[in-house]
Amino acid sequence: MEAEIEFVARALYTAEDDAQVWDREPDIVKDQFRLYAQTALELLAEHRNRKMPQAEICIFPYAA
């Protein structure tokens, strides 16, 4: 799980508009993004485990 958190943390960090180089950031910044990543992965797992038999599939037409 630690590798997944690190991977997602780096991806979230890179998505920032003013992202610099991950390896040069202080630990406090890295830890904040690791916390975001852990939260995101927990929410994803919760979403995947949720059983909703009443849920409907909605199809939205693509308009380019």
Side-chain angles (χ1 to χ4, degrees):
M1 181 83 168
E2 298 242 355
E4 290 175 333
I5 292 172
E6 188 71 15
F7 182 76
V8 173
R10 286 175 179 246
L12 292 172
Y13 173 80
T14 302
E16 286 285 309
D17 288 339
D18 60 345
Q20 303 296 316
V21 178
W22 174 259
D23 294 330
R24 294 184 187 162
E25 287 293 343
D27 287 336
I28 194 166
V29 173
K30 291 179 183 179
D31 289 342
Q32 189 65 42
F33 278 92
R34 289 178 182 125
L35 181 61
Y36 296 152
Q38 183 176 4
T39 302
L41 289 170
E42 288 171 359
L43 288 171
L44 178 61
E46 180 182 314
H47 176 74
R48 287 181 173 169
N49 290 333
R50 195 174 306 147
K51 303 291 187 219
M52 296 175 37
Q54 72 277 11
E56 297 179 19
I57 297 175
C58 296
I59 300 174
F60 295 97
Y62 176 74

